[in-house]
Short mmCIF file of all heavy atoms in Angstrom, two decimals:
data_model
loop_
_atom_site.label_atom_id
_atom_site.label_comp_id
_atom_site.label_asym_id
_atom_site.label_seq_id
_atom_site.Cartn_x
_atom_site.Cartn_y
_atom_site.Cartn_z
N ASP A 579 5.01 -9.04 43.80
CA ASP A 579 4.27 -9.52 42.69
C ASP A 579 4.10 -8.44 41.60
O ASP A 579 3.17 -8.50 40.82
CB ASP A 579 2.93 -10.08 43.09
CG ASP A 579 2.05 -8.98 43.69
OD1 ASP A 579 2.59 -7.95 44.06
OD2 ASP A 579 0.80 -9.26 43.80
N ARG A 580 5.01 -7.43 41.59
CA ARG A 580 4.91 -6.31 40.65
C ARG A 580 6.20 -6.13 39.86
O ARG A 580 7.31 -6.44 40.38
CB ARG A 580 4.61 -4.99 41.46
CG ARG A 580 3.30 -4.96 42.20
CD ARG A 580 2.16 -4.67 41.29
NE ARG A 580 1.00 -4.29 41.98
CZ ARG A 580 0.09 -5.12 42.56
NH1 ARG A 580 0.31 -6.39 42.57
NH2 ARG A 580 -0.99 -4.64 43.16
N TRP A 581 5.99 -5.61 38.63
CA TRP A 581 7.11 -5.29 37.77
C TRP A 581 7.11 -3.76 37.65
O TRP A 581 6.24 -3.18 37.06
CB TRP A 581 6.97 -5.93 36.36
CG TRP A 581 6.93 -7.44 36.44
CD1 TRP A 581 5.87 -8.23 36.68
CD2 TRP A 581 8.06 -8.29 36.22
NE1 TRP A 581 6.27 -9.54 36.62
CE2 TRP A 581 7.58 -9.62 36.35
CE3 TRP A 581 9.45 -8.09 35.94
CZ2 TRP A 581 8.43 -10.73 36.19
CZ3 TRP A 581 10.26 -9.22 35.78
CH2 TRP A 581 9.76 -10.51 35.95
N HIS A 582 8.18 -3.12 38.22
CA HIS A 582 8.22 -1.62 38.28
C HIS A 582 9.21 -1.11 37.22
O HIS A 582 10.23 -1.70 36.95
CB HIS A 582 8.69 -1.22 39.66
CG HIS A 582 7.77 -1.66 40.78
ND1 HIS A 582 6.67 -0.87 41.18
CD2 HIS A 582 7.80 -2.78 41.55
CE1 HIS A 582 6.03 -1.53 42.17
NE2 HIS A 582 6.71 -2.71 42.39
N TRP A 583 8.86 0.08 36.64
CA TRP A 583 9.70 0.80 35.73
C TRP A 583 10.90 1.32 36.44
O TRP A 583 10.82 1.85 37.58
CB TRP A 583 8.92 1.98 35.15
CG TRP A 583 9.69 2.72 34.11
CD1 TRP A 583 10.26 4.00 34.27
CD2 TRP A 583 10.00 2.35 32.76
NE1 TRP A 583 10.91 4.34 33.14
CE2 TRP A 583 10.80 3.39 32.20
CE3 TRP A 583 9.78 1.22 32.01
CZ2 TRP A 583 11.28 3.32 30.91
CZ3 TRP A 583 10.24 1.12 30.76
CH2 TRP A 583 10.99 2.19 30.14
N MET A 584 12.10 1.22 35.88
CA MET A 584 13.38 1.51 36.60
C MET A 584 14.15 2.64 35.93
O MET A 584 15.12 3.12 36.56
CB MET A 584 14.26 0.32 36.64
CG MET A 584 13.67 -0.81 37.56
SD MET A 584 13.76 -0.32 39.31
CE MET A 584 15.54 -0.22 39.53
N GLN A 585 13.84 3.05 34.77
CA GLN A 585 14.70 4.05 34.10
C GLN A 585 14.17 5.48 34.22
O GLN A 585 12.99 5.72 34.53
CB GLN A 585 14.81 3.66 32.60
CG GLN A 585 15.53 2.34 32.36
CD GLN A 585 15.88 2.13 30.91
OE1 GLN A 585 15.24 2.61 30.01
NE2 GLN A 585 16.96 1.34 30.67
N ASP A 586 15.06 6.40 33.92
CA ASP A 586 14.72 7.78 34.01
C ASP A 586 14.03 8.28 32.76
O ASP A 586 13.28 9.22 32.71
CB ASP A 586 15.97 8.71 34.23
CG ASP A 586 16.56 8.47 35.61
OD1 ASP A 586 15.80 8.07 36.50
OD2 ASP A 586 17.80 8.64 35.73
N VAL A 587 14.26 7.53 31.64
CA VAL A 587 13.76 7.96 30.37
C VAL A 587 12.26 7.84 30.30
O VAL A 587 11.64 7.02 31.01
CB VAL A 587 14.38 7.18 29.16
CG1 VAL A 587 15.88 7.45 29.12
CG2 VAL A 587 14.11 5.72 29.32
N TYR A 588 11.66 8.58 29.38
CA TYR A 588 10.17 8.61 29.23
C TYR A 588 9.90 7.85 27.95
O TYR A 588 10.08 8.37 26.85
CB TYR A 588 9.84 10.09 29.16
CG TYR A 588 8.45 10.46 28.83
CD1 TYR A 588 7.33 9.99 29.58
CD2 TYR A 588 8.14 11.32 27.75
CE1 TYR A 588 6.05 10.37 29.25
CE2 TYR A 588 6.88 11.74 27.43
CZ TYR A 588 5.84 11.23 28.21
OH TYR A 588 4.56 11.64 27.90
N PRO A 589 9.47 6.54 28.02
CA PRO A 589 9.51 5.65 26.87
C PRO A 589 8.63 6.13 25.71
O PRO A 589 8.99 5.99 24.58
CB PRO A 589 9.09 4.34 27.37
CG PRO A 589 8.30 4.68 28.68
CD PRO A 589 8.96 5.85 29.22
N ALA A 590 7.41 6.68 25.97
CA ALA A 590 6.49 7.04 24.86
C ALA A 590 7.11 8.06 23.95
O ALA A 590 6.77 8.07 22.75
CB ALA A 590 5.17 7.53 25.49
N ASP A 591 7.95 8.97 24.52
CA ASP A 591 8.53 10.04 23.68
C ASP A 591 9.30 9.51 22.52
O ASP A 591 9.43 10.14 21.49
CB ASP A 591 9.37 10.94 24.55
CG ASP A 591 8.79 12.35 24.59
OD1 ASP A 591 7.68 12.57 24.08
OD2 ASP A 591 9.50 13.24 25.19
N GLY A 592 9.95 8.37 22.68
CA GLY A 592 10.85 7.88 21.64
C GLY A 592 10.15 6.87 20.74
O GLY A 592 10.83 6.26 19.87
N ILE A 593 8.85 6.72 20.79
CA ILE A 593 8.14 5.76 19.96
C ILE A 593 7.12 6.45 19.06
O ILE A 593 6.12 7.07 19.54
CB ILE A 593 7.39 4.68 20.87
CG1 ILE A 593 8.44 3.95 21.73
CG2 ILE A 593 6.61 3.72 20.01
CD1 ILE A 593 7.80 3.18 22.84
N SER A 594 7.34 6.38 17.74
CA SER A 594 6.39 6.94 16.82
C SER A 594 5.37 5.92 16.43
O SER A 594 5.74 4.79 16.11
CB SER A 594 7.13 7.43 15.56
OG SER A 594 6.21 7.73 14.50
#
Side-chain angles (χ1 to χ4, degrees):
D579 62 345
R580 297 282 195 279
W581 299 84
H582 299 271
W583 182 255
M584 290 293 292
Q585 294 191 332
D586 294 331
V587 297
Y588 172 56
D591 243 7
I593 300 164
S594 167

